[in-house]
Amino acid sequence: MTHIERLSIGNSNQTLFRGAIDMKDSGLILLLASVIFGSCNNATSPDEIGDRFAFINFTLIDGTGSAPVSDAALVVENGRITAVGSVGSTPIPASLPIIDLSGAYVLPGFFNAHIHSGFTRTNLEAWARGGVTTVRDLCGPTLFVWRDGIRENPACARLVAAGPMISVPNGYPYVPWGASCMLPVYSVDDARQKTAQLLAEGADIIKISMESGESFGMEIPSLSHDEASAIVEVAHEHGTLVSAHVLVSYDLGRALEAGADDMAHMITDFLPDSTVD
């Protein structure tokens, strides 16, 4: 079981559907989110469609690497995709409204895994209209209650939020950008406590700064190995992942040693084989 974020149709940028997907009946592992682009004969609103309908005669790109299906059908019943495939092989209950999407394409929605300033309705609506159905904000305010409320709006991209980046006093991003979305920690114990507090407030992911300043031609204070490891440990105890800001191989290595789960950005210098291993 996974989730479909939203499904837009034609040039009207209408959000049509949001709910859960059960792919057991279709035999496909696809469509984390579906977005329709191109021309279509019916500019139908969400209220007119409801949660039971069938799309036919579109081109399906399922994201698995399989060849596109040019005469596809997709069936939604009670808020779930129950079948998807070619028109000839996909059973469509007679009672379902059928929408002809000739000339349109259905494909998985796009995820933008690293953004800032996601805490605006305007931005989230613009991403959804463009087919970006989930965005991950890795440095922002602790407006997690607002995030929870906006997630109920199917016209907005789903927001995954880290809140402020955990760093050290006078560390990145305060230096060199003067950024305010930073949570400074002063010791290993402080790192543990503030990580736990951030998670309690509702952070979806923890973002740490491992920026030592080499890429900026300066020395920037950074989290120690013990501090970064403590943050990762607390996050993992809560079932949460940690993303690390890195720009050079030295900082990438430190982030890996601390147990970070993914790297925001990638390095601009030489990547040693040992680091790849």
Side-chain angles (χ1 to χ4, degrees):
M1 184 70 65
T2 183
H3 291 281
I4 181 168
E5 300 293 339
R6 70 235 346 113
L7 196 137
S8 302
I9 184 168
N11 296 321
S12 65
N13 290 324
Q14 292 278 1
T15 298
L16 298 181
F17 173 72
R18 182 176 179 179
I21 301 177
D22 188 341
M23 301 306 297
K24 291 184 293 184
D25 294 335
S26 69
L28 298 174
I29 48 170
L30 56 91
L31 295 175
L32 290 178
S34 300
V35 182
I36 295 177
F37 301 96
S39 62
C40 114
N41 297 326
N42 304 293
T44 310
S45 74
D47 291 338
E48 291 172 313
I49 289 182
D51 61 359
R52 298 181 71 254
F53 56 87
F55 291 146
I56 62 170
N57 297 332
F58 57 88
T59 298
L60 171 68
I61 301 173
D62 67 19
T64 68
S66 300
V69 178
S70 60
D71 60 341
L74 183 149
V75 176
V76 172
E77 297 182 87
N78 300 320
R80 299 180 185 275
I81 292 179
T82 57
V84 62
S86 66
V87 170
S89 64
T90 304
I92 300 176
S95 62
L96 288 190
I98 296 178
I99 301 168
D100 192 320
L101 296 182
S102 296
Y105 292 78
V106 175
L107 64 156
F110 297 99
F111 285 21
N112 188 334
H114 189 174
I115 63 101
H116 302 297
S117 302
F119 285 87
T120 71
R121 180 179 178 131
T122 299
N123 286 353
L124 295 174
E125 288 178 342
W127 274 308
R129 288 195 302 270
V132 179
T133 59
T134 297
V135 296
R136 190 175 71 153
D137 190 312
L138 292 180
C139 189
T142 55
L143 298 178
F144 301 127
V145 173
W146 182 90
R147 171 210 58 199
D148 293 343
I150 208 71
R151 278 180 174 172
E152 301 306 315
N153 185 344
C156 294
R158 180 178 295 274
L159 177 62
V160 176
M165 188 185 312
I166 300 179
S167 187
V168 297
N170 296 315
Y172 184 91
Y174 180 77
V175 176
W177 308 118
S180 59
C181 60
M182 185 184 86
L183 181 63
V185 297
Y186 296 87
S187 66
V188 172
D189 287 341
D190 192 40
R192 290 182 180 278
Q193 292 172 9
K194 287 182 176 175
T195 302
Q197 179 61 35
L198 195 57
L199 291 168
E201 292 175 0
D204 295 305
I205 188 168
I206 295 297
K207 173 75 175 292
I208 60 174
S209 171
M210 302 302 289
E211 177 62 60
S212 60
E214 180 179 337
S215 57
F216 296 97
M218 61 177 70
E219 291 186 8
I220 299 177
S222 182
L223 293 166
S224 69
H225 171 75
D226 290 345
E227 289 169 336
S229 297
I231 293 168
V232 171
E233 182 179 349
V234 171
H236 287 178
E237 287 173 352
H238 287 76
T240 304
L241 303 179
V242 175
S243 179
H245 167 95
V246 299
L247 290 176
V248 295
S249 57
Y250 169 70
D251 294 334
L252 171 60
R254 293 194 305 122
L256 290 171
E257 290 172 358
D261 299 288
D262 74 67
M263 308 299 150
H265 307 293
M266 189 31 67
I267 66 169
T268 57
D269 61 347
F270 177 72
L271 180 63
D273 289 343
S274 58
T275 304
V276 174
D277 292 338

